[in-house]
Amino acid sequence: MKLRKVTAAAAAALVLSLTATACGGDDKDDSGSGSGGGDKIKVGIKFDQPGLGLKQPDGSFSGFDVDVATYVAKQLGYNADQIEFVETKSADRENALARGDVKFIAATYSINDERKQKVDFAGPYLLAHQDLLVKSDSDIAKGTDLNGKNLCSVTGSTSAQNVKNDIAPKANLKEYSGYSECIAALQSGTVDAVTTDDSILAGFAAQSQYKGKFKLAGLKLSNENYGIGVKKGDTATVDKINKALEKMVSDGSWDKAVKDNFGPANYQNEPAPKIGVIVK
């Protein structure tokens, strides 16, 4: 009798196991961990950078990074409605990839040696530069013109410190929690210039409410090679993304994305960078 019970229990367990396996076999990849063809792919972007990665009031997304990410995801086998954009703030990008929260990140992610110890990069797909955004009638034409002027950047930014320490030591540095506040301060005349990557500045300047009010100084104070971050060791995905980026350039989609997102600010972008070539 006891033997029959054990046998029955084992049989029941076997049936449950087979049922679970059959159900599991029908599941599709919805985590973004596959190489394409699943239900969804999770992609990290910024949610608060006009022209690059911006979440609109209606829940849609716009910007150059969004266009690049959408194109790449399509080449990996996903349609636009299969992409789930996930907000990845600068301080959490490496962790998001390590945890597997996202498949890749396109979020003004500059390639540098320190980050390459933690993640792998495809690209670069854009060469940006630290620059200044000033009013359209401003006479600020070079970094030293900031001496005695009010310069704005976000709290903790290295961009403003670079200017303050190396270019214009007599500039009056004002730090706010976000670039939107800096742009508002520039518009009101509270500050004379805002500094960060030229692509970010161009994105803000391209907004309809600021059209014609600001200009980029064009100083090229640094080189920022934007790459697409991928989990460390996932070389297969890096290779696929690199091929997608090459195709995006060759078929004209890259140029269109630059014009659509930065054009109104008269952004003088660099040509599309060559894959694997980092400009120091």
Side-chain angles (χ1 to χ4, degrees):
M1 187 69 173
K2 186 176 181 180
L3 181 59
R4 287 198 194 103
K5 287 182 178 179
V6 173
T7 304
L14 178 60
V15 171
L16 287 173
S17 176
L18 291 172
T19 302
T21 302
C23 291
D26 291 336
D27 288 343
K28 292 184 179 180
D29 172 28
D30 61 358
S31 65
S33 62
S35 60
D39 282 347
K40 287 184 179 180
I41 183 171
K42 293 181 180 179
V43 178
I45 61 169
K46 295 288 183 67
F47 276 20
D48 60 352
Q49 290 184 341
L52 286 154
L54 183 68
K55 186 175 183 179
Q56 303 287 359
D58 64 359
S60 62
F61 299 91
S62 65
F64 181 72
D65 283 346
V66 174
D67 289 347
V68 170
T70 301
Y71 188 98
V72 167
K74 183 178 180 181
Q75 297 303 308
L76 294 181
Y78 296 89
N79 296 322
D81 61 359
Q82 293 175 294
I83 303 170
E84 181 180 340
F85 287 116
V86 178
E87 183 175 24
T88 48
K89 296 183 178 181
S90 296
D92 196 45
R93 287 179 296 204
E94 287 84 15
N95 291 332
L97 288 169
R99 292 191 302 260
D101 295 346
V102 294
K103 184 65 174 176
F104 65 83
I105 294 176
T108 60
Y109 205 178
S110 295
I111 301 171
N112 60 39
D113 291 338
E114 181 181 354
R115 288 171 179 162
K116 286 196 293 185
Q117 299 301 312
K118 302 175 181 178
V119 304
D120 286 336
F121 284 100
Y125 64 92
L126 183 72
L127 176 59
H129 307 282
Q130 183 186 339
D131 200 357
L132 302 176
L133 188 69
V134 297
K135 283 190 172 181
S136 56
D137 60 354
S138 173
D139 59 358
I140 295 175
K142 55 186 184 296
T144 53
D145 291 339
L146 289 170
N147 283 310
K149 305 279 187 168
N150 294 322
L151 173 66
C152 187
S153 195
V154 299
T155 303
S157 166
T158 58
S159 299
Q161 292 298 334
N162 290 341
V163 174
K164 178 75 173 173
N165 295 339
D166 303 328
I167 299 172
K170 294 182 180 179
N172 303 313
L173 179 58
K174 294 183 179 293
E175 295 180 296
Y176 294 129
S177 61
Y179 287 112
S180 294
E181 295 175 67
C182 281
I183 301 300
L186 180 61
Q187 184 178 24
S188 68
T190 304
V191 301
D192 302 292
V194 180
T195 188
T196 187
D197 295 357
D198 54 7
S199 58
I200 297 174
L201 296 173
F204 277 104
Q207 291 184 289
S208 58
Q209 66 267 39
Y210 300 133
K211 189 174 182 179
K213 294 182 179 179
F214 305 132
K215 66 181 180 181
L216 290 164
L219 300 187
K220 298 185 179 181
L221 301 175
S222 71
N223 295 320
E224 306 295 336
N225 299 270
Y226 288 177
I228 293 182
V230 176
K231 187 174 183 178
K232 190 70 177 176
D234 190 357
T235 55
T237 298
V238 170
D239 291 343
K240 290 175 183 178
I241 292 176
N242 279 335
K243 290 178 181 177
L245 293 174
E246 289 173 345
K247 184 176 179 181
M248 187 176 186
V249 172
S250 66
D251 69 13
S253 298
W254 187 90
D255 284 322
K256 183 179 185 302
V258 169
K259 184 176 180 180
D260 289 347
N261 293 291
F262 303 128
N266 294 318
Y267 176 50
Q268 302 299 311
N269 65 283
E270 299 280 2
K274 294 185 181 299
I275 299 299
V277 177
I278 306 300
V279 178
K280 299 294 187 179

